[in-house]
Amino acid sequence: MALPSHHLTPQEVAFICESELITIVPRQRLGSLNLISIDTRPLVPPQRADVPLWLAVFLRKQKRCNIVPPDWMTVDNLERLVREESETSDFSKMPWRWMEVAEILLDTCAEDLISPSDIALHIRSLRELRQAKIRASMPEAINSAYIKINLGLMEICEVQPWVSKVMDGLRKIEGEAGSAAARKRREEGEDEDEDMEEEY
Amino acid sequence: MDIDDILREFDSQNAPSNSKDYNDLLKWWVNERAAPEILQYQDDLVERIMTRVRRQIEHIEDQTGNLDPRANFQLIIIQTELERVKFLIRSYLRTRISKIDKHALHILSTPALRHLLSPSEQTYLKSHQALLNELYLSSFLKNFPENLRRLDDSAGGISMVEEPDLESAVFLRVVRDLEVNIAVEGGETVEMKAGDVYVIRYSAVQEAVKRGDVELI
């Protein structure tokens, strides 16, 4: 294991995503499992059950279950989202882990989805539309004290390295030229928190 | 579904459930990764999960002789999960160690920060630092004039002790609605709504992270 970097890597984002629960339809019986992170109920076909995504993928690869895609991953809904996304300048509300979930499901169980190629296409359009918006909005936003950025986890993981670097860089430039308060703070080198309470 | 299943489900709703512990560990792992400073060690949480890891390893050892294909398959799943949890714990601890190494002198000289460490982390910090000091001294510091041998010198306005940059930008996701004071001229406040994602300097949300009102990313 390499030394952990400051930001999550895409692999780690996928790892987190795989801990999410997803609904499956088992094809085979499987007794209940006492796992560390969850106690699963016995799987009895064709009763639906919720299991962690990594387990669902594992069972699916061995053809022991079918995965039930989440509600939002239908062609109709995605078409609507693409339309919304291209009409407004805000980011439309997507599930927190939409990109990762879509990627994993398209990868492992395309046959469980209805018209997977359309779904893949819409997912890609969404992603490109949103990336274009990020690029367009950042130059202005990045200079403010905070940015509200309602993206999914994987999208954040993509922009995080450069956004935080630029923000830190700008702050340092400002600090050099900066206000008397900032300079005073630097000189005293005191606990930043206490200083703030005194000032405001 | 029989009565045992119903009872088990009832139980899992009451006790601090396994999945809550696991999700908490995920959360603190990510927090620790993103925060510039070292956070409170999650003593009880790690202990609870480690107990379960040990029990699971015992279970696997008991079952390895079992030749029943069904039990064997279950064992593969259990082992896969065990590896996932082990990865998580290792990465959590290593993240902390890398921070301890980076800010060793700062943590050593600040008692409030030392209390955030687990006993074994404290031992590590002290012995590692002692070894480093000894190495530096024997390899080059001994040739320096007496007044230049210190490792925590702050002469010339620059401190040798590296401190975490609490003003650095962090990404966060709001768990519970809250108001945050941003430290800019005018003392503006931001009303954060649950589910929103922000980029903001760490010092503005430092307390909110510790309270669990926001999760870093």
Side-chain angles (χ1 to χ4, degrees), chain B residues 146-164:
Chain B
E146 195 94 25
N147 60 343
L148 292 179
R149 281 186 196 171
R150 290 169 61 94
L151 289 173
D152 54 356
D153 207 350
S154 59
I158 301 163
S159 174
M160 281 177 75
V161 180
E162 195 182 344
E163 289 179 24

Side-chain angles (χ1 to χ4, degrees), chain B:
Chain B
M1 195 193 277
D2 57 26
I3 188 78
D4 282 345
D5 289 333
I6 297 169
L7 281 177
R8 201 176 305 134
E9 208 166 288
F10 186 72
D11 275 349
S12 64
Q13 278 162 7
N14 279 331
S17 72
N18 292 359
S19 36
K20 184 175 181 309
D21 273 350
Y22 178 77
N23 287 330
D24 280 351
L25 185 61
L26 264 182
K27 180 184 86 182
W28 284 109
W29 170 55
V30 180
N31 274 348
E32 194 72 67
R33 285 288 290 273
E37 63 170 349
I38 194 147
L39 302 173
Q40 173 69 48
Y41 179 64
Q42 299 297 314
D43 202 351
D44 295 344
L45 181 63
V46 174
E47 200 38 59
R48 279 202 299 276
I49 290 189
M50 280 311 292
T51 315
R52 257 173 255 146
V53 166
R54 278 189 287 271
R55 210 182 302 149
Q56 202 73 304
I57 292 173
E58 274 169 28
H59 175 75
I60 291 171
E61 280 168 358
D62 280 354
Q63 292 289 314
T64 27
N66 196 335
L67 292 176
D68 173 24
R70 188 168 296 219
N72 241 328
F73 181 67
Q74 292 201 355
L75 215 55
I76 295 173
I77 297 177
I78 290 175
Q79 273 173 331
T80 311
E81 205 242 1
L82 180 66
E83 290 306 318
R84 289 176 61 88
V85 177
K86 274 159 76 177
F87 163 79
L88 192 57
I89 294 177
R90 269 203 303 264
S91 186
Y92 175 67
L93 295 178
R94 288 196 58 138
T95 308
R96 295 182 59 85
I97 287 182
S98 74
K99 277 188 201 174
I100 293 172
D101 282 349
K102 199 166 167 206
H103 308 301
L105 287 171
H106 178 57
I107 296 173
L108 267 178
S109 59
T110 323
L113 288 178
R114 270 210 315 270
H115 291 304
L116 302 178
L117 272 52
S118 73
S120 35
E121 283 169 343
Q122 294 199 19
T123 320
Y124 166 79
L125 171 63
K126 280 181 200 139
S127 52
H128 185 234
Q129 203 50 40
L131 281 173
L132 270 184
N133 280 344
E134 210 171 290
L135 173 70
Y136 292 158
L137 195 67
S138 64
S139 54
F140 59 90
L141 283 179
K142 65 174 188 293
N143 300 323
F144 285 7
E146 195 94 25
N147 60 343
L148 292 179
R149 281 186 196 171
R150 290 169 61 94
L151 289 173
D152 54 356
D153 207 350
S154 59
I158 301 163
S159 174
M160 281 177 75
V161 180
E162 195 182 344
E163 289 179 24
D165 182 5
L166 299 181
E167 298 297 308
S168 62
V170 289
F171 284 64
L172 64 93
R173 185 157 177 259
V174 185
V175 180
R176 279 186 288 273
D177 293 4
L178 81 159
E179 278 188 5
V180 168
N181 279 307
I182 3 174
V184 285
E185 287 82 17
E188 206 183 324
T189 52
V190 202
E191 276 184 32
M192 296 187 168
K193 289 260 174 283
D196 281 347
V197 178
Y198 284 90
V199 191
I200 199 166
R201 54 182 64 186
Y202 178 69
S203 62
V205 290
Q206 198 174 16
E207 292 308 314
V209 171
K210 288 170 190 168
R211 281 198 309 269
D213 288 346
V214 302
E215 289 173 12
L216 297 179
I217 304 164

